[in-house]
Amino acid sequence: MAHPDRTPLLPLEKRRRGIYILPNLFTTAALFAGFYAIVQAMNQRFEVAAVAIFVAMVLDGLDGRIARLTHTQSEFGAEYDSLSDMVSFGAAPALVMYEWALQDLGKLGWIAAFIYCAGAALRLARFNTNIDVVDKRYFQGLPSPAAAALIAGMVWVGIDNGFTGDELRGYACALTIFAGVSMVSNVLFWSGKSINLRKSVPFIVVIALVLVFALVSSYPPGILFGLFLVYAASGYVMWLLRWKRKHDRGEATPAPQPDSTVPPAAGDDTAPPPRS
C-alpha cells in the first residue's frame, strides 16, 4: 500500500530519466576493446592487444560524435566515457607495454608504466574540470587516445618487424615516459573539433581522404605509428614557434628612453647645479 505522506528517495523527473543507448553502446564497445587488450597481453598476444587499443580509439571517437549529432549528450555519458578512457587508454597501454618490453627493466620498468598510467588519469581529470574554460580548438596536453596510439603503435611496429620487447626496451621506456609526461603538460595540441561534418567540402578533400585511407592500408602499423609520432611532435614544434615569436617580439620592442623634459627629483645627484 502506498503512503502519500512519504517523500520519495529520488525526484520523479530523475527516476524517469533514462540512459541514451546509442552513444553508450559505442563507449561500452571501447571499454571492451581496452579490457580485451589487457587480456591478450596477459596471454602474450601483444599484436592483437595493440590492434585492440586502436579499435578502442576509433570507437571512442565515434561515441562523442554520435552523441552530438543525435543530441543525446548526458552527464552519465560523459562520466562513463572518462572511466572507459582510463581503462582503454590508461591501464591497457601501460600493461601492454610493461608485459612486452618493460618488465625486465626492474623498478625502472614499472615506474615508467606507472608514470604513463598516472599521466592518463591526471589528464582525464583535468580535461573534465577544464572542459568549459579552455579553447575548444586545442587540447591542453597530449590526448590520452593519441598517447595510447603511440604505445600500441610501437608494440605493433616492433612485432611486425621481428623485434622483441627486450631489444627495444630502452626506446620503449623513453617513449612511455614521454607519452605520460606529455599528457599532463601545458603544451597545446590541435583538437580537430573545429571540423564541421555537416558542412560541404571541395571535391579535392574527398580525394585526399581516399588517399589517406589507401596510405594507411598499405602498411597500417608503420603509417599509424608515424602519424601519431608527428602529431605528438607537432604540439612541441608549435610551442617552440610561439615561444620564438614571443621572444623575437620582445627583442624588437625598444627600451623606453628617459624624458629629458621631466625635472629631476629632489636630492638627485645627477641634477645640474643651480646657476649663480
Side-chain angles (χ1 to χ4, degrees), residues 201-223:
V201 295
F203 184 70
I204 189 66
V205 176
V206 180
I207 297 177
L209 290 175
V210 172
L211 293 177
V212 169
F213 280 112
L215 183 64
V216 171
S217 63
S218 64
Y219 182 44
I223 300 300

Side-chain angles (χ1 to χ4, degrees), residues 10 15 29 67 72 100 127 132 144 147 160 182 189 195 224 236 240 249:
L10 291 174
R15 284 188 295 170
T72 53
W100 184 63
F127 176 79
D132 295 326
S144 56
D160 194 67
S182 295
F189 294 85
I195 299 176
L224 288 174
Y236 291 95
L240 287 174
R249 193 184 302 118

Side-chain angles (χ1 to χ4, degrees), residues 11 29 43 52 67 91 103 121 123 138 141 148 159 170-171 195 207 209 222 230 239 254 271:
N43 293 328
Q103 59 180 341
R123 168 70 177 78
Y138 300 98
I159 294 174
Y171 299 104
I195 299 176
I207 297 177
L209 290 175
V230 171
W239 177 82

